């Protein structure tokens, strides 16, 4: 048997991964939003990804954030928790019912309605209407087939030194399996390659949740 590589020897076990996922306690509001997501049949970000989003928003003192894929509000709650008090979260989702439930989750924790801008519609129709360079953070968690197009829009929207975060970057272990060539996996893989190969971006692929790709735009 070949000797294990250094990466394989130091890779976390499933138990360690679960420990890391549950390291940061979630709020009751997030727990309720997760239950709503299950009832809706949508998959929210994992706890590890949620805590990472809060940290990223806090690190850049985010006041303007775009979220692609509202779901039941789990990721929106996480993003808002890290934003400055007068920040505005713009969240886009093609399902109005999802946004209705997410809005209730935001209201339940006391977020003012003027701080949450929910836009129902196809992301690739909505994003081009948003202003260039006006956002501190863009979070991508929508249709995997459209990920490459989302990325181009996100890079346009971000200010210098802004943060791009992309969920499902490992896509249920399919991205690492080069024999897997279904359309969604290829789209996610293309997205990773696009960001990794951009010399102007500083990027890292975090193994929290289903994978979170993070990139920082040039400071200008």
């Amino acid at each position: 048997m070949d000797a294990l590589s250094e990466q394989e020897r130091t890779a976390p076990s499933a138990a360690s991964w679960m420990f890391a996922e549950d390291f940061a306690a979630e709020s009751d509001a997030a727990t309720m939003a997760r239950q709503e997501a299950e009832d809706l049949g949508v998959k929210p970000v994992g706890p590890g990804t949620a805590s990472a989003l809060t940290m990223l928003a806090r690190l850049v003192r985010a006041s303007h954030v775009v979220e692609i894929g509202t779901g039941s509000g789990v990721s929106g709650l996480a993003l808002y928790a890290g934003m400055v008090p007068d920040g505005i979260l713009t969240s886009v989702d093609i399902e109005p019912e999802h946004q209705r439930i997410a809005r209730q989750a935001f209201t339940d924790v006391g977020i003012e309605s003027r701080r949450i801008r929910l836009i129902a519609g196809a992301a690739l129709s909505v994003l081009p209407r948003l202003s260039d360079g006006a956002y501190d953070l863009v979070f991508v968690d929508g249709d995997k087939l459209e990920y490459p197009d989302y990325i181009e829009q996100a890079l346009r929207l971000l200010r210098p030194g802004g943060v791009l975060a992309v969920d499902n970057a490992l896509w249920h272990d399919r991205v690492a399996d080069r024999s897997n060539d279904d359309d969604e996996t290829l789209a996610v893989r293309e997205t990773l390659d696009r960001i990794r190969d951009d010399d102007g971006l500083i990027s890292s692929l975090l193994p929290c949740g289903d994978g979170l790709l993070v990139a920082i735009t040039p400071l200008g």
Side-chain angles (χ1 to χ4, degrees):
M1 180 181 295
D2 294 336
L4 291 175
S5 69
E6 181 64 23
Q7 291 92 334
E8 288 171 320
R9 286 197 298 271
T10 58
S13 65
S16 291
W17 179 87
M18 284 298 299
F19 178 82
E21 278 293 291
D22 295 333
F23 179 74
E26 284 200 307
S27 66
D28 291 341
T31 299
M32 291 179 62
R34 287 191 184 282
Q35 182 58 58
E36 292 285 4
E38 184 175 338
D39 295 342
L40 285 171
V42 298
K43 181 70 173 175
V45 299
T49 298
S51 62
L53 292 176
T54 299
M55 184 178 67
L56 289 170
R58 180 65 56 87
L59 281 172
V60 296
R61 292 186 54 81
S63 60
H64 292 86
V65 173
V66 172
E67 175 186 48
I68 303 170
T70 308
S72 63
V74 175
S75 53
L77 288 168
L79 288 164
Y80 199 86
M83 294 171 65
V84 299
D86 60 348
I88 297 176
L89 172 64
T90 298
S91 188
V92 182
D93 200 297
I94 201 168
E95 296 289 346
E97 177 63 10
H98 294 181
Q99 293 195 323
R100 184 189 68 78
I101 291 172
R103 184 179 293 282
Q104 186 61 55
F106 301 144
T107 299
D108 288 346
V109 296
I111 301 175
E112 299 177 67
S113 60
R114 62 194 179 97
R115 298 298 177 197
I116 303 290
R117 182 166 63 150
L118 299 179
I119 304 176
L124 293 180
S125 296
V126 174
L127 297 176
R129 305 202 301 265
L130 304 182
S131 300
D132 293 6
Y135 296 90
D136 306 296
L137 190 156
V138 175
F139 175 54
V140 175
D141 188 20
D143 184 341
K144 304 302 171 281
L145 295 176
E146 296 182 346
Y147 264 31
D149 294 319
Y150 294 159
I151 297 308
E152 298 309 317
Q153 288 294 324
L155 294 176
R156 176 184 64 79
L157 295 173
L158 285 167
R159 63 162 171 83
V163 172
L164 169 65
V166 182
D167 193 33
N168 300 121
L170 296 175
W171 195 228
H172 312 309
D173 285 334
R174 297 172 191 164
V175 170
D177 179 6
R178 288 291 171 176
S179 68
N180 194 312
D181 60 357
D182 67 84
D183 290 343
E184 290 181 321
T185 301
L186 291 176
V188 175
R189 200 176 284 143
E190 177 185 342
T191 298
L192 268 62
D193 290 345
R194 161 71 176 87
I195 293 174
R196 181 195 58 199
D197 296 341
D198 189 325
D199 293 335
L201 300 174
I202 297 175
S203 60
S204 181
L205 179 53
L206 309 180
C208 54
D210 190 31
L212 184 68
L213 178 63
V214 178
I216 301 174
T217 60
L219 291 174

